Amino acid sequence: MMRTDLENRATVLSALTEKEAAKELGVSMKTLQAWRLKSRGPAYLKYGRAIRYLPHDLTAYAQGSRVQPRN
């Protein structure tokens, strides 16, 4: 199913700042910045110098970082 323009706009407008994204992931803003400089961490948007994160990208990153221990 394709997203409508309105849904896409609402998603982008719900983008989180670096500080908000760091809080959601439970890491410091410096850690998030370091990951970005090393091309690691969640996908992000860049508007000039402003960095923003989409909530679904943070969720995808967290799920992709899950480690299943062996018993």
Side-chain angles (χ1 to χ4, degrees):
M1 174 181 256
M2 292 186 62
R3 297 177 69 117
T4 66
D5 288 340
L6 185 58
E7 288 173 322
N8 286 332
R9 184 167 187 246
T11 298
V12 171
L13 293 177
S14 68
L16 305 172
T17 65
E18 287 180 282
K19 187 176 182 178
E20 293 167 331
K23 185 176 179 180
E24 286 293 316
L25 291 173
V27 299
S28 72
M29 202 165 87
K30 292 285 185 189
T31 296
L32 199 55
Q33 292 168 342
W35 287 348
R36 203 170 53 249
L37 289 173
K38 295 176 182 178
S39 297
R40 298 177 58 185
Y44 60 93
L45 303 171
K46 188 170 183 180
Y47 303 115
R49 293 175 53 178
I51 303 297
R52 298 292 183 267
Y53 293 86
L54 296 174
H56 69 266
D57 288 333
L58 298 180
T59 300
Y61 179 75
Q63 290 173 341
S65 299
R66 186 170 183 244
V67 175
Q68 184 67 38
R70 291 188 272 184
N71 293 328

